[in-house]
Amino acid sequence: MSPESARLTSEAITLSAAAVLNSLISLLGNKGLLSPEEEREVYRTAAEIIDEASGDDENGTYELARELIELRLGDI
């Protein structure tokens, strides 16, 4: 597998996993199994995990991931 193909595959896996997880959290909220505060807590905890794992984020990957989570938090 070429480096470009491996990168695209990795990005597709990450994007699909994030979409499924976001969908699941929304579904649980819509069914009343998670309150809006519990939904926010899921995303806040995810942001904290990213912060703890970020280390020296030279590429800005962790920073961008955190910004995306913060955007989702603003939608709840």
Side-chain angles (χ1 to χ4, degrees):
M1 181 179 291
S2 73
E4 180 66 14
S5 180
R7 183 185 64 79
L8 288 174
T9 299
S10 176
E11 289 174 358
I13 290 168
T14 301
L15 182 57
S16 65
V20 168
L21 183 58
N22 191 46
S23 175
L24 177 61
I25 293 167
S26 294
L27 178 69
L28 292 172
N30 292 339
K31 288 186 173 257
L33 298 171
L34 287 177
S35 68
E37 180 55 35
E38 289 169 323
E39 286 185 65
R40 284 188 288 276
E41 184 60 28
V42 168
Y43 290 106
R44 278 194 295 263
T45 300
E48 289 172 9
I49 290 168
I50 287 172
D51 286 344
E52 290 170 5
S54 65
D56 187 19
D57 186 21
E58 293 178 13
N59 297 328
T61 304
Y62 290 90
E63 180 180 349
L64 180 56
R66 187 168 196 350
E67 288 174 12
L68 293 172
I69 289 172
E70 288 172 352
L71 286 173
R72 183 63 186 121
L73 271 167
D75 292 341
I76 299 174

